[in-house]
Amino acid sequence: MSQAPHPAPAGGGGTVPRHVAIIMDGNGRWAQRRGLPRVAGHRAGAEAVQRTLRAAADAGVQVLTLYAFSSENWRRSAEEISDLTGLMRFYLERELATLAKEGVRLKLIGDPSAFGEELGSKLDKAVERTSGNSRLTLVVALNYGSRSEIVSAARSLAEQVATGQLSTAEIDEARLASALQTVDLPDLDLLIRTSGEVRLSNFLLWQAAYSELYFTETLWPDFDEAALGEALAHYAGRQRRFGGR
Ligand code: FPP
């Protein structure tokens, strides 16, 4: 994996990460502090997704990966799960034309089939409709868990060995990486987690091996262009120090 800094786009002042991932945390606390139901936090979180997507594209980020629903989120109440999936459906319908117009390609990782046929087919259509776009790739992790992704990759390599297509000696880091759902994406440069929690929570464990990690106290619904700008500046600073030694 190459860790060379990526060149900034024309006019940019520093080093822009090509691939940024975000663990969007703190929706519930944001709502609680205002005496609102949790769903209000998720709604405000969805607005933050839109702001951040726009800001990332403007900054020259090529891939933005968002942890929208983890495989552990099924432990939440049926009501909250239904609120979250309802919000996804709503935003997908409202924002698809905007995504297409702004040159955003949608990609999914995880196992979105668990959300049922109706939402699943809407998601598939959105992926297909935006597949020709190239300004920014928005990767939405849905029913995603990193360990399970790695297990699937190991299983697929084992099957290839069992059928004689692959020898065990040929299994190396590149081969395993190519069996992950992120195979077609550039290396993860920067991983952001909001709300002061300092954990990876089963998100992109393999992919984050060499990433810069950035934790902020900002709750996800408050995340905006300035907050993203701070994370990008932190990344550029780290890269500069790295180059100077
Ligand atoms: C964490 O907050 C956030 C989530 C579990 C889901 C993220 C969902 C959204 C931002 C909204 C919908 C998404 C899209 C793509 C339209 P939390 O509930 O864990 O917060 P807490 O830790 O404060 O309780």
Side-chain angles (χ1 to χ4, degrees), residues 24-30 38 41-47 49 66-70 73 76 80 84 87-88 91-92 140 142 195 197 219-220:
M24 308 180 288
D25 200 4
N27 294 351
R29 276 162 285 167
W30 184 93
R38 293 179 64 80
H42 295 316
R43 231 175 262 140
E47 301 294 334
V49 168
L66 301 177
Y67 208 2
F69 196 97
S70 77
N73 284 154
R76 297 193 176 200
E80 186 168 358
L84 279 168
L87 263 177
M88 276 183 240
Y91 277 96
L92 203 56
V140 182
L142 285 172
S195 90
E197 304 294 336
L219 301 176
W220 176 249

PDB file of all heavy atoms in Angstrom, residues 24-30 38 41-47 49 66-70 73 76 80 84 87-88 91-92 140 142 195 197 219-220, ligand 1:
ATOM      1  N   MET A  24     -20.119   8.316  12.080  1.00  0.00           N
ATOM      2  CA  MET A  24     -21.002   9.442  12.430  1.00  0.00           C
ATOM      3  C   MET A  24     -21.657   9.116  13.767  1.00  0.00           C
ATOM      4  O   MET A  24     -22.604   8.361  13.829  1.00  0.00           O
ATOM      5  CB  MET A  24     -22.075   9.593  11.349  1.00  0.00           C
ATOM      6  CG  MET A  24     -21.512   9.672   9.930  1.00  0.00           C
ATOM      7  SD  MET A  24     -22.814   9.846   8.666  1.00  0.00           S
ATOM      8  CE  MET A  24     -23.551   8.223   8.648  1.00  0.00           C
ATOM      9  N   ASP A  25     -21.153   9.694  14.824  1.00  0.00           N
ATOM     10  CA  ASP A  25     -21.630   9.313  16.161  1.00  0.00           C
ATOM     11  C   ASP A  25     -22.136  10.538  16.914  1.00  0.00           C
ATOM     12  O   ASP A  25     -21.610  11.641  16.740  1.00  0.00           O
ATOM     13  CB  ASP A  25     -20.465   8.657  16.923  1.00  0.00           C
ATOM     14  CG  ASP A  25     -20.958   7.812  18.085  1.00  0.00           C
ATOM     15  OD1 ASP A  25     -22.180   7.671  18.265  1.00  0.00           O
ATOM     16  OD2 ASP A  25     -20.104   7.295  18.831  1.00  0.00           O
ATOM     17  N   GLY A  26     -23.129  10.327  17.753  1.00  0.00           N
ATOM     18  CA  GLY A  26     -23.588  11.399  18.643  1.00  0.00           C
ATOM     19  C   GLY A  26     -24.973  11.942  18.329  1.00  0.00           C
ATOM     20  O   GLY A  26     -25.400  12.930  18.939  1.00  0.00           O
ATOM     21  N   ASN A  27     -25.688  11.297  17.402  1.00  0.00           N
ATOM     22  CA  ASN A  27     -27.041  11.783  17.072  1.00  0.00           C
ATOM     23  C   ASN A  27     -27.954  11.740  18.296  1.00  0.00           C
ATOM     24  O   ASN A  27     -28.720  12.673  18.555  1.00  0.00           O
ATOM     25  CB  ASN A  27     -27.675  10.909  15.979  1.00  0.00           C
ATOM     26  CG  ASN A  27     -26.954  11.010  14.650  1.00  0.00           C
ATOM     27  OD1 ASN A  27     -26.089  11.848  14.480  1.00  0.00           O
ATOM     28  ND2 ASN A  27     -27.322  10.151  13.722  1.00  0.00           N
ATOM     29  N   GLY A  28     -27.874  10.632  19.033  1.00  0.00           N
ATOM     30  CA  GLY A  28     -28.751  10.448  20.199  1.00  0.00           C
ATOM     31  C   GLY A  28     -28.476  11.500  21.265  1.00  0.00           C
ATOM     32  O   GLY A  28     -29.407  12.109  21.816  1.00  0.00           O
ATOM     33  N   ARG A  29     -27.180  11.737  21.556  1.00  0.00           N
ATOM     34  CA  ARG A  29     -26.825  12.726  22.585  1.00  0.00           C
ATOM     35  C   ARG A  29     -27.224  14.138  22.161  1.00  0.00           C
ATOM     36  O   ARG A  29     -27.662  14.947  22.964  1.00  0.00           O
ATOM     37  CB  ARG A  29     -25.317  12.653  22.885  1.00  0.00           C
ATOM     38  CG  ARG A  29     -24.986  11.579  23.889  1.00  0.00           C
ATOM     39  CD  ARG A  29     -23.535  11.228  23.855  1.00  0.00           C
ATOM     40  NE  ARG A  29     -23.224  10.414  22.688  1.00  0.00           N
ATOM     41  CZ  ARG A  29     -22.000  10.166  22.261  1.00  0.00           C
ATOM     42  NH1 ARG A  29     -20.965  10.681  22.895  1.00  0.00           N
ATOM     43  NH2 ARG A  29     -21.814   9.407  21.205  1.00  0.00           N
ATOM     44  N   TRP A  30     -27.083  14.427  20.877  1.00  0.00           N
ATOM     45  CA  TRP A  30     -27.482  15.742  20.345  1.00  0.00           C
ATOM     46  C   TRP A  30     -28.964  15.982  20.631  1.00  0.00           C
ATOM     47  O   TRP A  30     -29.361  17.058  21.070  1.00  0.00           O
ATOM     48  CB  TRP A  30     -27.193  15.773  18.842  1.00  0.00           C
ATOM     49  CG  TRP A  30     -27.455  17.073  18.153  1.00  0.00           C
ATOM     50  CD1 TRP A  30     -26.561  18.081  17.917  1.00  0.00           C
ATOM     51  CD2 TRP A  30     -28.703  17.506  17.573  1.00  0.00           C
ATOM     52  NE1 TRP A  30     -27.161  19.115  17.239  1.00  0.00           N
ATOM     53  CE2 TRP A  30     -28.483  18.793  17.018  1.00  0.00           C
ATOM     54  CE3 TRP A  30     -29.978  16.947  17.471  1.00  0.00           C
ATOM     55  CZ2 TRP A  30     -29.470  19.512  16.360  1.00  0.00           C
ATOM     56  CZ3 TRP A  30     -30.977  17.669  16.819  1.00  0.00           C
ATOM     57  CH2 TRP A  30     -30.719  18.940  16.282  1.00  0.00           C
ATOM     58  N   ARG A  38     -34.819  10.654  19.899  1.00  0.00           N
ATOM     59  CA  ARG A  38     -33.609  10.265  19.169  1.00  0.00           C
ATOM     60  C   ARG A  38     -33.736  10.482  17.668  1.00  0.00           C
ATOM     61  O   ARG A  38     -32.783  10.848  16.988  1.00  0.00           O
ATOM     62  CB  ARG A  38     -33.257   8.801  19.463  1.00  0.00           C
ATOM     63  CG  ARG A  38     -32.822   8.550  20.898  1.00  0.00           C
ATOM     64  CD  ARG A  38     -32.522   7.065  21.118  1.00  0.00           C
ATOM     65  NE  ARG A  38     -31.406   6.612  20.312  1.00  0.00           N
ATOM     66  CZ  ARG A  38     -30.114   6.805  20.618  1.00  0.00           C
ATOM     67  NH1 ARG A  38     -29.797   7.421  21.736  1.00  0.00           N
ATOM     68  NH2 ARG A  38     -29.168   6.374  19.822  1.00  0.00           N
ATOM     69  N   GLY A  41     -32.405  13.566  16.304  1.00  0.00           N
ATOM     70  CA  GLY A  41     -30.950  13.560  16.143  1.00  0.00           C
ATOM     71  C   GLY A  41     -30.540  12.912  14.826  1.00  0.00           C
ATOM     72  O   GLY A  41     -29.637  13.395  14.138  1.00  0.00           O
ATOM     73  N   HIS A  42     -31.210  11.833  14.478  1.00  0.00           N
ATOM     74  CA  HIS A  42     -30.884  11.160  13.210  1.00  0.00           C
ATOM     75  C   HIS A  42     -31.254  12.048  12.019  1.00  0.00           C
ATOM     76  O   HIS A  42     -30.546  12.094  11.024  1.00  0.00           O
ATOM     77  CB  HIS A  42     -31.603   9.813  13.117  1.00  0.00           C
ATOM     78  CG  HIS A  42     -31.138   8.822  14.147  1.00  0.00           C
ATOM     79  ND1 HIS A  42     -29.802   8.643  14.447  1.00  0.00           N
ATOM     80  CD2 HIS A  42     -31.819   7.957  14.946  1.00  0.00           C
ATOM     81  CE1 HIS A  42     -29.686   7.719  15.390  1.00  0.00           C
ATOM     82  NE2 HIS A  42     -30.887   7.290  15.716  1.00  0.00           N
ATOM     83  N   ARG A  43     -32.387  12.764  12.171  1.00  0.00           N
ATOM     84  CA  ARG A  43     -32.808  13.673  11.096  1.00  0.00           C
ATOM     85  C   ARG A  43     -31.751  14.763  10.902  1.00  0.00           C
ATOM     86  O   ARG A  43     -31.329  15.061   9.786  1.00  0.00           O
ATOM     87  CB  ARG A  43     -34.148  14.313  11.469  1.00  0.00           C
ATOM     88  CG  ARG A  43     -35.172  14.182  10.371  1.00  0.00           C
ATOM     89  CD  ARG A  43     -36.510  14.723  10.826  1.00  0.00           C
ATOM     90  NE  ARG A  43     -37.393  13.671  11.269  1.00  0.00           N
ATOM     91  CZ  ARG A  43     -38.208  13.740  12.325  1.00  0.00           C
ATOM     92  NH1 ARG A  43     -38.232  14.816  13.090  1.00  0.00           N
ATOM     93  NH2 ARG A  43     -38.980  12.733  12.639  1.00  0.00           N
ATOM     94  N   ALA A  44     -31.315  15.339  12.010  1.00  0.00           N
ATOM     95  CA  ALA A  44     -30.277  16.383  11.927  1.00  0.00           C
ATOM     96  C   ALA A  44     -28.971  15.768  11.411  1.00  0.00           C
ATOM     97  O   ALA A  44     -28.200  16.419  10.704  1.00  0.00           O
ATOM     98  CB  ALA A  44     -30.072  17.022  13.299  1.00  0.00           C
ATOM     99  N   GLY A  45     -28.746  14.501  11.756  1.00  0.00           N
ATOM    100  CA  GLY A  45     -27.550  13.795  11.259  1.00  0.00           C
ATOM    101  C   GLY A  45     -27.587  13.623   9.753  1.00  0.00           C
ATOM    102  O   GLY A  45     -26.556  13.717   9.079  1.00  0.00           O
ATOM    103  N   ALA A  46     -28.775  13.391   9.232  1.00  0.00           N
ATOM    104  CA  ALA A  46     -28.900  13.235   7.778  1.00  0.00           C
ATOM    105  C   ALA A  46     -28.611  14.566   7.074  1.00  0.00           C
ATOM    106  O   ALA A  46     -28.020  14.583   5.986  1.00  0.00           O
ATOM    107  CB  ALA A  46     -30.293  12.723   7.433  1.00  0.00           C
ATOM    108  N   GLU A  47     -28.997  15.680   7.708  1.00  0.00           N
ATOM    109  CA  GLU A  47     -28.655  16.989   7.125  1.00  0.00           C
ATOM    110  C   GLU A  47     -27.137  17.195   7.139  1.00  0.00           C
ATOM    111  O   GLU A  47     -26.562  17.755   6.212  1.00  0.00           O
ATOM    112  CB  GLU A  47     -29.325  18.133   7.906  1.00  0.00           C
ATOM    113  CG  GLU A  47     -30.851  18.073   7.973  1.00  0.00           C
ATOM    114  CD  GLU A  47     -31.528  18.252   6.616  1.00  0.00           C
ATOM    115  OE1 GLU A  47     -30.931  18.888   5.731  1.00  0.00           O
ATOM    116  OE2 GLU A  47     -32.652  17.736   6.447  1.00  0.00           O
ATOM    117  N   VAL A  49     -24.997  14.875   6.823  1.00  0.00           N
ATOM    118  CA  VAL A  49     -24.460  14.053   5.724  1.00  0.00           C
ATOM    119  C   VAL A  49     -24.422  14.894   4.446  1.00  0.00           C
ATOM    120  O   VAL A  49     -23.410  14.926   3.732  1.00  0.00           O
ATOM    121  CB  VAL A  49     -25.322  12.776   5.492  1.00  0.00           C
ATOM    122  CG1 VAL A  49     -24.951  12.096   4.174  1.00  0.00           C
ATOM    123  CG2 VAL A  49     -25.163  11.802   6.660  1.00  0.00           C
ATOM    124  N   LEU A  66     -19.194   6.480   4.602  1.00  0.00           N
ATOM    125  CA  LEU A  66     -19.953   6.801   5.817  1.00  0.00           C
ATOM    126  C   LEU A  66     -20.513   5.539   6.455  1.00  0.00           C
ATOM    127  O   LEU A  66     -21.106   4.691   5.775  1.00  0.00           O
ATOM    128  CB  LEU A  66     -21.106   7.748   5.465  1.00  0.00           C
ATOM    129  CG  LEU A  66     -20.724   9.085   4.836  1.00  0.00           C
ATOM    130  CD1 LEU A  66     -21.985   9.871   4.476  1.00  0.00           C
ATOM    131  CD2 LEU A  66     -19.828   9.912   5.769  1.00  0.00           C
ATOM    132  N   TYR A  67     -20.343   5.453   7.780  1.00  0.00           N
ATOM    133  CA  TYR A  67     -20.878   4.306   8.525  1.00  0.00           C
ATOM    134  C   TYR A  67     -22.309   4.650   8.907  1.00  0.00           C
ATOM    135  O   TYR A  67     -22.564   5.254   9.944  1.00  0.00           O
ATOM    136  CB  TYR A  67     -20.026   4.110   9.783  1.00  0.00           C
ATOM    137  CG  TYR A  67     -19.969   2.689  10.316  1.00  0.00           C
ATOM    138  CD1 TYR A  67     -20.610   1.630   9.685  1.00  0.00           C
ATOM    139  CD2 TYR A  67     -19.233   2.409  11.467  1.00  0.00           C
ATOM    140  CE1 TYR A  67     -20.512   0.333  10.173  1.00  0.00           C
ATOM    141  CE2 TYR A  67     -19.131   1.108  11.966  1.00  0.00           C
ATOM    142  CZ  TYR A  67     -19.781   0.085  11.310  1.00  0.00           C
ATOM    143  OH  TYR A  67     -19.683  -1.193  11.797  1.00  0.00           O
ATOM    144  N   ALA A  68     -23.270   4.275   8.059  1.00  0.00           N
ATOM    145  CA  ALA A  68     -24.661   4.678   8.287  1.00  0.00           C
ATOM    146  C   ALA A  68     -25.409   3.698   9.180  1.00  0.00           C
ATOM    147  O   ALA A  68     -26.315   4.081   9.913  1.00  0.00           O
ATOM    148  CB  ALA A  68     -25.380   4.828   6.950  1.00  0.00           C
ATOM    149  N   PHE A  69     -25.024   2.403   9.098  1.00  0.00           N
ATOM    150  CA  PHE A  69     -25.734   1.408   9.904  1.00  0.00           C
ATOM    151  C   PHE A  69     -24.816   0.210  10.097  1.00  0.00           C
ATOM    152  O   PHE A  69     -24.425  -0.447   9.138  1.00  0.00           O
ATOM    153  CB  PHE A  69     -27.024   0.976   9.181  1.00  0.00           C
ATOM    154  CG  PHE A  69     -28.004   0.266  10.073  1.00  0.00           C
ATOM    155  CD1 PHE A  69     -29.063   0.951  10.660  1.00  0.00           C
ATOM    156  CD2 PHE A  69     -27.875  -1.095  10.333  1.00  0.00           C
ATOM    157  CE1 PHE A  69     -29.968   0.294  11.484  1.00  0.00           C
ATOM    158  CE2 PHE A  69     -28.773  -1.757  11.159  1.00  0.00           C
ATOM    159  CZ  PHE A  69     -29.824  -1.064  11.734  1.00  0.00           C
ATOM    160  N   SER A  70     -24.439  -0.041  11.330  1.00  0.00           N
ATOM    161  CA  SER A  70     -23.514  -1.141  11.581  1.00  0.00           C
ATOM    162  C   SER A  70     -24.290  -2.435  11.808  1.00  0.00           C
ATOM    163  O   SER A  70     -25.496  -2.399  12.109  1.00  0.00           O
ATOM    164  CB  SER A  70     -22.653  -0.837  12.805  1.00  0.00           C
ATOM    165  OG  SER A  70     -23.403  -1.048  13.983  1.00  0.00           O
ATOM    166  N   ASN A  73     -26.065  -2.351  14.980  1.00  0.00           N
ATOM    167  CA  ASN A  73     -27.214  -1.452  15.172  1.00  0.00           C
ATOM    168  C   ASN A  73     -28.561  -2.187  15.237  1.00  0.00           C
ATOM    169  O   ASN A  73     -29.556  -1.624  15.680  1.00  0.00           O
ATOM    170  CB  ASN A  73     -27.274  -0.381  14.068  1.00  0.00           C
ATOM    171  CG  ASN A  73     -26.258   0.733  14.243  1.00  0.00           C
ATOM    172  OD1 ASN A  73     -25.846   1.384  13.286  1.00  0.00           O
ATOM    173  ND2 ASN A  73     -25.824   0.966  15.486  1.00  0.00           N
ATOM    174  N   ARG A  76     -30.660  -2.108  18.421  1.00  0.00           N
ATOM    175  CA  ARG A  76     -31.473  -0.953  18.859  1.00  0.00           C
ATOM    176  C   ARG A  76     -32.961  -1.310  18.806  1.00  0.00           C
ATOM    177  O   ARG A  76     -33.337  -2.333  18.234  1.00  0.00           O
ATOM    178  CB  ARG A  76     -31.171   0.240  17.955  1.00  0.00           C
ATOM    179  CG  ARG A  76     -29.718   0.634  18.101  1.00  0.00           C
ATOM    180  CD  ARG A  76     -29.411   1.970  17.501  1.00  0.00           C
ATOM    181  NE  ARG A  76     -28.012   2.272  17.786  1.00  0.00           N
ATOM    182  CZ  ARG A  76     -27.485   3.473  17.765  1.00  0.00           C
ATOM    183  NH1 ARG A  76     -28.227   4.517  17.482  1.00  0.00           N
ATOM    184  NH2 ARG A  76     -26.215   3.670  18.036  1.00  0.00           N
ATOM    185  N   GLU A  80     -36.449   2.580  16.614  1.00  0.00           N
ATOM    186  CA  GLU A  80     -35.312   3.365  16.122  1.00  0.00           C
ATOM    187  C   GLU A  80     -34.821   2.822  14.774  1.00  0.00           C
ATOM    188  O   GLU A  80     -34.467   3.587  13.878  1.00  0.00           O
ATOM    189  CB  GLU A  80     -34.174   3.370  17.157  1.00  0.00           C
ATOM    190  CG  GLU A  80     -33.049   4.301  16.720  1.00  0.00           C
ATOM    191  CD  GLU A  80     -32.026   4.589  17.811  1.00  0.00           C
ATOM    192  OE1 GLU A  80     -32.185   4.098  18.945  1.00  0.00           O
ATOM    193  OE2 GLU A  80     -31.066   5.317  17.500  1.00  0.00           O
ATOM    194  N   LEU A  84     -34.571   4.921  11.349  1.00  0.00           N
ATOM    195  CA  LEU A  84     -33.340   5.048  10.556  1.00  0.00           C
ATOM    196  C   LEU A  84     -33.568   4.617   9.109  1.00  0.00           C
ATOM    197  O   LEU A  84     -33.132   5.292   8.170  1.00  0.00           O
ATOM    198  CB  LEU A  84     -32.211   4.209  11.181  1.00  0.00           C
ATOM    199  CG  LEU A  84     -31.473   4.854  12.357  1.00  0.00           C
ATOM    200  CD1 LEU A  84     -30.602   3.834  13.074  1.00  0.00           C
ATOM    201  CD2 LEU A  84     -30.615   6.036  11.888  1.00  0.00           C
ATOM    202  N   LEU A  87     -35.683   7.158   7.305  1.00  0.00           N
ATOM    203  CA  LEU A  87     -34.894   8.333   6.920  1.00  0.00           C
ATOM    204  C   LEU A  87     -34.067   8.060   5.677  1.00  0.00           C
ATOM    205  O   LEU A  87     -33.966   8.894   4.776  1.00  0.00           O
ATOM    206  CB  LEU A  87     -33.919   8.678   8.052  1.00  0.00           C
ATOM    207  CG  LEU A  87     -34.334   9.760   9.022  1.00  0.00           C
ATOM    208  CD1 LEU A  87     -33.287   9.901  10.115  1.00  0.00           C
ATOM    209  CD2 LEU A  87     -34.488  11.097   8.290  1.00  0.00           C
ATOM    210  N   MET A  88     -33.483   6.872   5.617  1.00  0.00           N
ATOM    211  CA  MET A  88     -32.680   6.518   4.438  1.00  0.00           C
ATOM    212  C   MET A  88     -33.547   6.540   3.184  1.00  0.00           C
ATOM    213  O   MET A  88     -33.155   7.079   2.157  1.00  0.00           O
ATOM    214  CB  MET A  88     -32.086   5.124   4.609  1.00  0.00           C
ATOM    215  CG  MET A  88     -30.806   5.105   5.394  1.00  0.00           C
ATOM    216  SD  MET A  88     -30.242   3.421   5.416  1.00  0.00           S
ATOM    217  CE  MET A  88     -30.208   3.082   7.127  1.00  0.00           C
ATOM    218  N   TYR A  91     -34.405  10.213   2.270  1.00  0.00           N
ATOM    219  CA  TYR A  91     -33.304  10.975   1.675  1.00  0.00           C
ATOM    220  C   TYR A  91     -32.890  10.438   0.323  1.00  0.00           C
ATOM    221  O   TYR A  91     -32.489  11.187  -0.557  1.00  0.00           O
ATOM    222  CB  TYR A  91     -32.115  11.055   2.635  1.00  0.00           C
ATOM    223  CG  TYR A  91     -32.338  12.172   3.623  1.00  0.00           C
ATOM    224  CD1 TYR A  91     -32.883  11.919   4.871  1.00  0.00           C
ATOM    225  CD2 TYR A  91     -32.081  13.493   3.273  1.00  0.00           C
ATOM    226  CE1 TYR A  91     -33.142  12.932   5.765  1.00  0.00           C
ATOM    227  CE2 TYR A  91     -32.342  14.525   4.156  1.00  0.00           C
ATOM    228  CZ  TYR A  91     -32.872  14.248   5.401  1.00  0.00           C
ATOM    229  OH  TYR A  91     -33.138  15.268   6.263  1.00  0.00           O
ATOM    230  N   LEU A  92     -33.003   9.130   0.186  1.00  0.00           N
ATOM    231  CA  LEU A  92     -32.669   8.524  -1.099  1.00  0.00           C
ATOM    232  C   LEU A  92     -33.591   9.079  -2.175  1.00  0.00           C
ATOM    233  O   LEU A  92     -33.155   9.454  -3.272  1.00  0.00           O
ATOM    234  CB  LEU A  92     -32.853   7.009  -0.969  1.00  0.00           C
ATOM    235  CG  LEU A  92     -32.094   6.122  -1.928  1.00  0.00           C
ATOM    236  CD1 LEU A  92     -30.607   6.409  -1.837  1.00  0.00           C
ATOM    237  CD2 LEU A  92     -32.353   4.654  -1.567  1.00  0.00           C
ATOM    238  N   VAL A 140     -21.657   4.141   1.154  1.00  0.00           N
ATOM    239  CA  VAL A 140     -22.481   4.059   2.356  1.00  0.00           C
ATOM    240  C   VAL A 140     -22.398   2.632   2.901  1.00  0.00           C
ATOM    241  O   VAL A 140     -22.699   1.670   2.193  1.00  0.00           O
ATOM    242  CB  VAL A 140     -23.940   4.472   2.055  1.00  0.00           C
ATOM    243  CG1 VAL A 140     -24.775   4.417   3.327  1.00  0.00           C
ATOM    244  CG2 VAL A 140     -23.979   5.881   1.469  1.00  0.00           C
ATOM    245  N   LEU A 142     -23.812  -0.106   5.032  1.00  0.00           N
ATOM    246  CA  LEU A 142     -25.140  -0.447   5.541  1.00  0.00           C
ATOM    247  C   LEU A 142     -25.146  -1.889   6.019  1.00  0.00           C
ATOM    248  O   LEU A 142     -24.819  -2.792   5.242  1.00  0.00           O
ATOM    249  CB  LEU A 142     -26.170  -0.296   4.416  1.00  0.00           C
ATOM    250  CG  LEU A 142     -26.558   1.131   4.030  1.00  0.00           C
ATOM    251  CD1 LEU A 142     -27.433   1.119   2.790  1.00  0.00           C
ATOM    252  CD2 LEU A 142     -27.254   1.844   5.171  1.00  0.00           C
ATOM    253  N   SER A 195     -18.072  12.844  18.199  1.00  0.00           N
ATOM    254  CA  SER A 195     -18.730  12.723  19.510  1.00  0.00           C
ATOM    255  C   SER A 195     -17.817  12.285  20.645  1.00  0.00           C
ATOM    256  O   SER A 195     -18.308  11.914  21.710  1.00  0.00           O
ATOM    257  CB  SER A 195     -19.958  11.794  19.443  1.00  0.00           C
ATOM    258  OG  SER A 195     -19.609  10.456  19.714  1.00  0.00           O
ATOM    259  N   GLU A 197     -15.963   9.711  21.115  1.00  0.00           N
ATOM    260  CA  GLU A 197     -15.674   8.278  21.331  1.00  0.00           C
ATOM    261  C   GLU A 197     -14.400   7.926  20.566  1.00  0.00           C
ATOM    262  O   GLU A 197     -14.219   8.367  19.435  1.00  0.00           O
ATOM    263  CB  GLU A 197     -16.834   7.410  20.812  1.00  0.00           C
ATOM    264  CG  GLU A 197     -18.193   7.741  21.399  1.00  0.00           C
ATOM    265  CD  GLU A 197     -18.288   7.433  22.888  1.00  0.00           C
ATOM    266  OE1 GLU A 197     -17.519   6.587  23.370  1.00  0.00           O
ATOM    267  OE2 GLU A 197     -19.105   8.078  23.570  1.00  0.00           O
ATOM    268  N   LEU A 219     -20.517  16.615  17.962  1.00  0.00           N
ATOM    269  CA  LEU A 219     -21.544  15.594  17.741  1.00  0.00           C
ATOM    270  C   LEU A 219     -21.908  15.600  16.251  1.00  0.00           C
ATOM    271  O   LEU A 219     -21.903  16.664  15.613  1.00  0.00           O
ATOM    272  CB  LEU A 219     -22.780  15.887  18.595  1.00  0.00           C
ATOM    273  CG  LEU A 219     -22.540  15.953  20.109  1.00  0.00           C
ATOM    274  CD1 LEU A 219     -23.829  16.342  20.845  1.00  0.00           C
ATOM    275  CD2 LEU A 219     -22.009  14.624  20.647  1.00  0.00           C
ATOM    276  N   TRP A 220     -22.222  14.426  15.708  1.00  0.00           N
ATOM    277  CA  TRP A 220     -22.411  14.351  14.256  1.00  0.00           C
ATOM    278  C   TRP A 220     -23.401  15.392  13.707  1.00  0.00           C
ATOM    279  O   TRP A 220     -23.104  16.051  12.698  1.00  0.00           O
ATOM    280  CB  TRP A 220     -22.778  12.926  13.807  1.00  0.00           C
ATOM    281  CG  TRP A 220     -23.046  12.921  12.339  1.00  0.00           C
ATOM    282  CD1 TRP A 220     -24.232  12.742  11.712  1.00  0.00           C
ATOM    283  CD2 TRP A 220     -22.073  13.195  11.295  1.00  0.00           C
ATOM    284  NE1 TRP A 220     -24.078  12.876  10.354  1.00  0.00           N
ATOM    285  CE2 TRP A 220     -22.772  13.158  10.078  1.00  0.00           C
ATOM    286  CE3 TRP A 220     -20.700  13.493  11.291  1.00  0.00           C
ATOM    287  CZ2 TRP A 220     -22.135  13.379   8.852  1.00  0.00           C
ATOM    288  CZ3 TRP A 220     -20.068  13.733  10.074  1.00  0.00           C
ATOM    289  CH2 TRP A 220     -20.783  13.662   8.879  1.00  0.00           C
TER     290      TRP A 220
HETATM  291  C1  FPP B   1     -24.836   7.417  15.646  1.00  0.00           C
HETATM  292  O1  FPP B   1     -25.523   8.180  16.573  1.00  0.00           O
HETATM  293  C2  FPP B   1     -25.434   7.394  14.325  1.00  0.00           C
HETATM  294  C3  FPP B   1     -26.084   6.318  13.757  1.00  0.00           C
HETATM  295  C4  FPP B   1     -26.317   5.058  14.443  1.00  0.00           C
HETATM  296  C5  FPP B   1     -26.620   6.301  12.388  1.00  0.00           C
HETATM  297  C6  FPP B   1     -26.161   7.339  11.404  1.00  0.00           C
HETATM  298  C7  FPP B   1     -27.343   7.802  10.668  1.00  0.00           C
HETATM  299  C8  FPP B   1     -27.522   9.038  10.155  1.00  0.00           C
HETATM  300  C9  FPP B   1     -26.495  10.084  10.167  1.00  0.00           C
HETATM  301  C10 FPP B   1     -28.852   9.435   9.574  1.00  0.00           C
HETATM  302  C11 FPP B   1     -29.321   8.762   8.340  1.00  0.00           C
HETATM  303  C12 FPP B   1     -28.287   8.416   7.333  1.00  0.00           C
HETATM  304  C13 FPP B   1     -28.304   8.676   5.991  1.00  0.00           C
HETATM  305  C14 FPP B   1     -27.191   8.103   5.131  1.00  0.00           C
HETATM  306  C15 FPP B   1     -29.342   9.501   5.323  1.00  0.00           C
HETATM  307  P1  FPP B   1     -26.020   7.476  17.916  1.00  0.00           P
HETATM  308  O2  FPP B   1     -27.487   7.266  17.767  1.00  0.00           O
HETATM  309  O3  FPP B   1     -25.228   6.259  18.192  1.00  0.00           O
HETATM  310  O4  FPP B   1     -25.718   8.606  18.953  1.00  0.00           O
HETATM  311  P2  FPP B   1     -25.449   8.433  20.515  1.00  0.00           P
HETATM  312  O5  FPP B   1     -24.175   7.638  20.658  1.00  0.00           O
HETATM  313  O6  FPP B   1     -25.308   9.834  20.981  1.00  0.00           O
HETATM  314  O7  FPP B   1     -26.652   7.729  21.083  1.00  0.00           O
END
